[in-house]
Amino acid sequence: MINENRENYRPVARRGSVLYFVIADLALIDPMYQYSLEFFARLFGRRLEKAPKSEDLETRIQTLLGDETASFYTNICRGLFEKDKLLYSFLNAASIQRRGGQISPAEWNFYLRGSTTDFSASKNECDYISSVVNSKLLGLEETHFAFKDLAKSFADPGDAVTWKKILASEEPTSIPLPPAYEGGLSAFQKLMLVRVLREEKLVHGVKAFVGACLGAAFIESPPFDLEGAADDSTNATPVIFVLSPGADPIADLIALAKSRGMDARLKILSLGQGQGQIAERLIDQGQKTGDWVCL
Amino acid sequence: MPELEKIQEKQDENTMHPEYRLWLTSMPSATFPVPVLQNGIKLTNEPPRGLKANLKRTYGDVAEEDYEACSKPREYKKMFFALAYFHAAILERRKYGAIGWNIPYEWMTADLETSKRQLRMYLDEQEMVPYQALNYLVSETNYGGRVTDDKDVVLIKAMLRRCFCPEVMNDAYRLSKLDTYYAPPECSLADTKKYIESLPLDEDPEVFGLHPNANIAYEQRIVRDLTETILMMQPRVAAAGGGKTPDELAQDMARDIAARLPAALDTSRAHPTTFAMTEGGQMGSLGVFVGQEIERFNNLLKVMKHTLD
């Protein structure tokens, strides 16, 4: 009985593992993107408790899936640089769909590396696309039946009008595909098509895919949230500002200290030669008196 | 850094004052102690991108009394805006990669601060606005000190000349080909900020004197970064593709290699001259060498066969 009930929650656990491995991979991008399993488990557990409850199992599971995914997004994004935020939400969306089977290994590989089959012998029957693009279209046809007759569609005078529009547009992702594909292709398959036809607009495509898969909130970067970080910190959990040239969080920190009545007890020290001992003393003292220490 | 790690390890949340908080600041660094990183809450704080955000930041740092204190208020305010615009433009131009600058220079707020001070000093001390001297100081000394590429030197001088020129005093003068950006007529600090607030969030490449196509190069770079990073993060085994799992792929490869392994070399079947003895009863040097190599090669085959099976 217990086992049976427990099994019902497996989708939530599966989502957890997908989310965790995306986070673990982030360390490959930047040495500062380090998150421990304990950190992950703590946050995961907290959301299990805090997410809205429901008597209906299916509702409860759907709430949990959405809540866990969203809270990790806001939590991790705080510590990511702007350029990596879209990457993170894309990896989340793609990993969830790959695990769920909506994206096949063949499709994922095509997206990353292109086709491995040699189509140079096949004839390009279309005068407005290059033979390179033609080969890629044939490659797409191989990955999934939804792409069937894609190259032929480019030669078809009716569809060609739409394709030409997509090739020339500033916002190719906002133009509906020819009818056979608009409804037939999944969000990821549409993204694969953008990659083939308009690679330079891929960022728009990625945003559209993430939006379709996880929701629009995942394409916007959450605002700088010092308050939230301060609320999550404890006397044993420090807050680490990861800086970039031109950024200075000290002013924000002082403002925060003021609003919490800590401004007189905020000790700021710039580390440099010979400052180590002073810093240690400040930390020692802070742990006793409850000061804020900023190094 | 290692000391910090020790301190963090030793601490016990029960004995510490509950209000104690530790705030750390650091540039991204591979030497930052990982345990502290993993346990901490990481926060990035990046300056917003774009010409408008940059101008806003420059004007946000200006104190009202400084802004009004110059003996030539009109000239100062005009030139100040021109300088702020120049600063923003050369920094934002970097996003176009090699189309913007041959080398991406790390100009800093300190360059702007120095130029601001010199501008004020020259305007206070001299009768006329010394355009030539200011051009030289700012584009050759302050900012130019970092510029090493000779083409970039030409560029930065040309860009400043468009900002630091007598025409800038004319309210109809435009700082770029576009109608949008100009040094506003003499007004208060608050009004200047209001004007900056009215600027578009994303700028046209023409602001930097670049062709609109420069945006394509910029977009391509972003896309390349995005896909290459994902590719780099993929486990290597998956590279061969197809609908198989990495384990199956490895199995297939192992079988394929095993099938192609040659049999061990048999010295008894060598050409009669290969291991022929000399008159003194010794083997020729070639024979010795080949014999040793065959022995090693056979060992290798044995190990390969063993592990592949």
Side-chain angles (χ1 to χ4, degrees):
Chain A
M1 178 64 183
I2 292 177
N3 258 340
E4 226 169 82
N5 278 333
R6 200 168 56 182
E7 279 303 311
N8 287 332
Y9 285 92
R10 200 163 276 279
V12 181
R14 211 175 291 138
R15 175 65 58 91
S17 107
V18 170
L19 294 175
Y20 173 71
F21 281 107
V22 171
I23 292 170
D25 279 346
L26 289 176
L28 295 168
I29 308 178
D30 192 295
M32 297 303 268
Y33 297 165
Q34 304 265 4
Y35 300 87
S36 65
L37 186 56
E38 291 89 80
F39 162 84
F40 180 86
R42 203 160 51 227
L43 185 57
F44 194 82
R46 186 156 28 139
R47 291 321 303 175
L48 282 183
E49 280 165 27
K50 290 202 180 155
K53 303 241 183 329
S54 163
E55 285 300 320
D56 178 48
L57 181 71
E58 193 44 38
T59 322
R60 167 76 172 156
I61 287 180
Q62 287 311 319
T63 329
L64 279 180
L65 289 181
D67 186 272
E68 292 285 359
T69 314
S71 58
F72 273 103
Y73 178 72
T74 37
N75 224 288
I76 300 295
C77 267
R78 286 204 295 229
L80 299 185
F81 287 117
E82 214 51 58
K83 68 179 176 58
D84 296 323
K85 286 179 183 165
L86 182 62
L87 180 76
Y88 172 60
S89 54
F90 173 64
L91 283 175
N92 262 339
S95 305
I96 290 170
Q97 294 222 333
R98 282 167 66 208
R99 178 64 86 87
Q102 291 105 314
I103 300 177
S104 73
E107 288 171 310
W108 180 242
N109 259 316
F110 183 92
Y111 176 76
L112 291 179
R113 307 183 174 88
S115 179
T116 42
T117 321
D118 182 15
F119 290 105
S120 52
S122 52
K123 206 167 152 285
N124 177 9
E125 287 171 25
C126 197
D127 55 5
Y128 61 93
I129 54 172
S130 67
S131 56
V132 178
V133 173
N134 189 57
S135 302
K136 288 182 181 168
L137 293 175
L138 292 169
L140 275 178
E141 288 185 25
E142 269 197 340
T143 60
H144 198 276
F145 62 84
F147 287 116
K148 197 166 167 294
D149 293 333
L150 186 60
K152 279 207 194 94
S153 156
F154 273 76
D156 176 84
D159 288 354
V161 183
T162 314
W163 292 125
K164 280 183 189 166
K165 247 192 255 166
I166 291 173
L167 287 168
S169 166
E170 267 301 302
E171 288 174 42
T173 45
S174 61
I175 299 175
L177 304 172
Y181 301 105
E182 178 61 29
L185 297 186
S186 70
F188 189 74
Q189 285 163 343
K190 285 181 186 165
L191 179 62
M192 290 162 73
L193 200 56
V194 176
R195 177 125 160 90
V196 165
L197 297 177
R198 296 294 301 273
E199 194 173 9
E200 80 278 9
K201 297 289 180 194
L202 197 66
V203 171
H204 298 263
V206 167
K207 283 184 180 164
F209 166 67
V210 174
C213 173
L214 296 177
F218 290 84
I219 9 186
E220 285 157 26
S221 35
F224 178 66
D225 181 20
L226 187 58
E227 294 267 340
D231 290 340
D232 286 348
S233 72
T234 68
N235 52 5
T237 318
V239 176
I240 301 156
F241 290 107
V242 185
L243 304 177
S244 48
D248 186 11
I250 298 299
D252 294 317
L253 181 58
I254 293 175
L256 177 82
K258 269 207 183 99
S259 77
R260 307 217 167 172
M262 290 295 292
D263 47 334
R265 288 158 67 194
L266 173 64
K267 305 281 182 315
I268 300 175
L269 177 75
S270 301
L271 283 182
Q273 209 156 27
Q275 301 292 305
Q277 286 189 338
I278 306 179
E280 272 183 57
R281 214 176 311 138
L282 275 179
I283 291 179
D284 258 6
Q285 193 193 333
Q287 293 183 342
K288 285 187 200 105
T289 59
D291 286 346
W292 286 8
V293 179
C294 174
L295 304 177
Chain B
M1 286 287 190
E3 281 82 33
L4 176 67
E5 192 178 339
K6 262 181 242 151
I7 294 174
Q8 286 300 110
E9 268 173 25
K10 265 193 307 202
Q11 68 182 9
D12 171 10
E13 53 186 304
N14 299 320
T15 60
M16 279 184 293
H17 195 287
E19 273 180 3
Y20 162 72
R21 291 289 184 278
L22 183 60
W23 306 80
L24 300 166
T25 57
S26 169
M27 292 294 273
S29 149
T31 55
F32 200 96
V34 174
V36 182
L37 260 187
Q38 290 195 332
N39 276 317
I41 293 167
K42 288 166 284 295
L43 257 188
T44 48
N45 184 8
E46 274 173 290
R49 306 267 157 194
L51 195 76
K52 178 184 180 178
N54 201 310
L55 284 173
K56 249 170 92 175
R57 209 163 48 240
T58 304
Y59 273 85
D61 288 343
V62 178
E64 180 91 44
E65 56 271 27
D66 285 340
Y67 193 64
E68 301 291 347
C70 183
S71 60
K72 294 189 189 63
R74 179 179 154 77
E75 282 79 2
Y76 178 68
K77 287 176 182 177
K78 281 280 191 187
M79 292 294 280
F80 188 93
F81 188 89
L83 176 64
Y85 177 86
F86 166 77
H87 177 80
I90 61 170
L91 267 122
E92 294 303 322
R93 206 185 147 102
R94 295 183 305 182
K95 77 172 185 189
Y96 298 103
I99 296 179
W101 299 100
N102 284 330
I103 299 167
Y105 304 99
E106 286 290 332
W107 289 294
M108 291 193 293
T109 336
D111 299 319
L112 178 65
E113 288 302 321
T114 315
S115 304
K116 263 159 69 180
R117 266 204 308 277
Q118 284 166 344
L119 175 65
R120 173 75 186 279
M121 200 176 78
Y122 273 72
L123 287 185
D124 273 342
E125 285 175 1
Q126 304 209 9
E127 289 281 299
M128 307 282 290
V129 182
Y131 291 104
Q132 215 187 339
L134 283 169
N135 259 299
Y136 183 84
L137 268 174
V138 174
S139 72
E140 301 248 0
T141 317
N142 299 351
Y143 288 89
R146 298 180 195 277
V147 182
T148 45
D149 184 273
D150 57 340
K151 302 289 184 301
D152 286 344
V153 173
V154 175
L155 174 60
I156 194 170
K157 279 204 264 187
M159 283 181 79
L160 185 65
R161 223 174 303 130
R162 213 183 158 115
C163 300
F164 276 14
C165 57
E167 288 87 347
V168 86
M169 296 305 153
N170 178 352
D171 286 343
Y173 180 73
R174 294 293 178 262
L175 290 162
S176 73
K177 263 191 193 164
L178 298 172
D179 223 20
T180 336
Y181 300 93
Y182 54 88
E186 185 186 352
C187 60
S188 70
L189 184 59
D191 284 342
T192 314
K193 283 183 180 167
K194 237 181 258 162
Y195 160 70
I196 294 172
E197 211 50 65
S198 74
L199 294 173
L201 201 58
D202 286 315
E203 61 273 352
D204 200 289
E206 294 236 26
V207 170
F208 312 107
L210 294 172
H211 190 268
N213 277 351
N215 247 345
I216 298 182
Y218 168 62
E219 285 174 337
Q220 277 172 342
R221 195 167 58 88
I222 301 273
V223 167
R224 207 179 48 236
D225 285 351
L226 188 70
T227 38
E228 279 180 3
T229 319
I230 297 178
L231 209 53
M232 175 203 86
M233 293 168 73
Q234 297 305 309
R236 292 263 171 90
V237 230
K244 292 175 175 163
T245 68
D247 281 354
E248 286 168 354
L249 285 170
Q251 286 284 348
D252 285 354
M253 275 167 83
R255 260 192 297 271
D256 180 48
I257 296 171
R260 284 187 287 149
L261 274 190
L265 291 170
D266 184 356
T267 44
S268 67
R269 287 172 57 203
H271 194 271
T273 57
T274 309
F275 295 111
M277 297 293 174
T278 56
E279 284 146 26
Q282 287 182 320
M283 203 186 277
S285 57
L286 186 66
V288 174
F289 174 71
V290 169
Q292 285 171 348
E293 288 299 309
I294 287 177
E295 204 173 303
R296 283 191 194 127
F297 188 67
N298 283 345
N299 272 336
L300 173 67
L301 286 177
K302 212 159 80 192
V303 172
M304 283 179 75
K305 204 165 152 35
H306 178 72
T307 44
L308 287 171
D309 280 345

